[in-house]
Amino acid sequence: MASPDRPSRGKEPASPGENPTPGEALVERVFALLSSFDSENRALPLAGLTRRTGMPRSTALRLARQLTDVGALERLDDGRFVIGLRLLEIASLAPRGHGLRAVAMPYMEDLFHVTGQHVLLAVRDNHQALLVERLSAHDAAPVRFRVGERMALTTTGVGLVLLANAPVGVQERVLQDFVAGEGDTTIRTPEELRRSLAEIRRGDYAVARRLDPAAPRTTVAAPVRAREGVVAALSVVAPSPEFDPTAYVPAVRATARAISRELRETEAAG
């Protein structure tokens, strides 16, 4: 369940003078086409695939048909393409996604019932956080997160916990690219971010606030550990700047520790 430091999409660029093989080029095109879909574009016509990938129409159509044949894409009656169930079947085998989720879900459900707030579970993928599970009440105020969504490490509580426990090289890259005003509104400079990460490591939890009038929220997050170290972050998110985080720190930390214990026991048994 380690967090490999790899690009979020695609592969590393070829070295100077190195040309990708036909097979490598095909894989890149296939992933470019699949990556065209997102939460706001769940169904795309051929013209949308062509526009978002920059591929010739004939290439996009050929690849889309081939992916449909193997179940990676499906085609709606109106001709638009959507992600197919075969990809869900394959993705369910990812240990840092489904395996982690299977262990964490009972504890997340308990935390959800105790707090009545949004409960998130995320992992780090290179310089981003990836949401692998979310529990929300039907009448809860909306938050703009979906399972499978990628988030900057500085914009959420889970991201800050993951960043605080990431390798030094990852932290330095994020600090170098930090832009004032992004993410937690109490962190305004790289120096403040560096101090916040140190405090998160000392306290073993993070509190993050976002005062965006359109979507204010306060988050309490804590690390989830396996034998190799921090593999995920758990959080409670309340969509209100008036949310008092101190009331939820003990519950979030205790839940994260319970998940950590079971993860280590599962690894030892396996």
Side-chain angles (χ1 to χ4, degrees), residues 18-202:
E18 178 187 352
N19 293 320
T21 66
E24 289 175 331
L26 176 60
V27 170
E28 290 175 350
R29 288 197 296 268
V30 166
F31 271 88
L33 192 147
L34 293 173
S35 298
S36 298
F37 299 90
D38 56 36
S39 59
E40 297 179 356
N41 296 275
R42 295 176 181 269
L44 289 169
L46 179 60
L49 294 175
T50 300
R51 182 178 64 256
R52 293 173 70 85
T53 62
M55 294 180 191
R57 178 185 175 88
S58 59
T59 301
L61 178 59
R62 174 173 55 82
L63 291 178
R65 283 175 171 171
Q66 291 174 342
L67 290 169
T68 300
D69 289 342
V70 299
L73 291 181
E74 296 175 3
R75 197 161 194 180
L76 304 178
D77 292 340
D78 62 7
R80 293 181 299 165
F81 293 93
V82 296
I83 295 294
L85 290 177
R86 179 60 176 155
L87 286 186
L88 176 63
E89 180 183 359
I90 294 171
S92 70
L93 301 174
R96 289 208 300 139
H98 183 72
L100 171 65
R101 175 186 175 277
V103 171
M105 272 299 288
Y107 301 99
M108 292 180 64
E109 289 173 350
D110 288 344
L111 184 62
F112 167 70
H113 288 304
V114 167
T115 64
Q117 304 290 353
H118 303 281
V119 177
L120 309 182
L121 182 69
V123 299
R124 183 179 64 84
D125 190 22
N126 197 30
H127 299 103
Q128 294 177 308
L130 178 67
L131 186 63
V132 297
E133 187 53 86
R134 165 187 160 184
L135 296 179
S136 300
H138 293 299
D139 58 350
V143 291
R144 299 175 59 185
F145 301 126
R146 66 175 179 82
V147 174
E149 181 178 356
R150 294 178 180 273
M151 303 169 285
L153 292 173
T154 57
T155 61
T156 62
V158 289
L160 288 169
V161 165
L162 293 168
L163 180 59
N165 292 279
V168 173
V170 174
Q171 294 183 27
E172 293 302 323
R173 174 64 181 274
V174 173
L175 285 162
Q176 177 183 338
D177 295 341
F178 181 77
V179 176
E182 289 187 352
D184 187 332
T185 54
T186 65
I187 301 175
R188 303 183 184 280
T189 67
E191 291 73 21
E192 290 178 353
L193 177 57
R194 190 185 297 277
R195 288 195 295 271
S196 294
L197 297 179
E199 291 172 1
I200 291 167
R201 286 190 293 272
R202 285 195 297 269

Side-chain angles (χ1 to χ4, degrees), residues 100 103-108 121 224-225 232 234 253-265:
L100 171 65
V103 171
M105 272 299 288
Y107 301 99
M108 292 180 64
L121 182 69
V224 174
R225 292 180 170 86
L234 175 78
R253 294 183 67 189
T255 303
R257 288 170 179 168
I259 297 170
S260 300
R261 281 195 302 271
E262 183 154 343
L263 277 177
R264 290 192 289 265
E265 291 171 0

Side-chain angles (χ1 to χ4, degrees), residues 228-246:
E228 67 270 29
V230 173
V231 295
L234 175 78
S235 74
V236 167
V237 180
S240 169
E242 287 80 32
F243 169 64
D244 179 11
T246 59

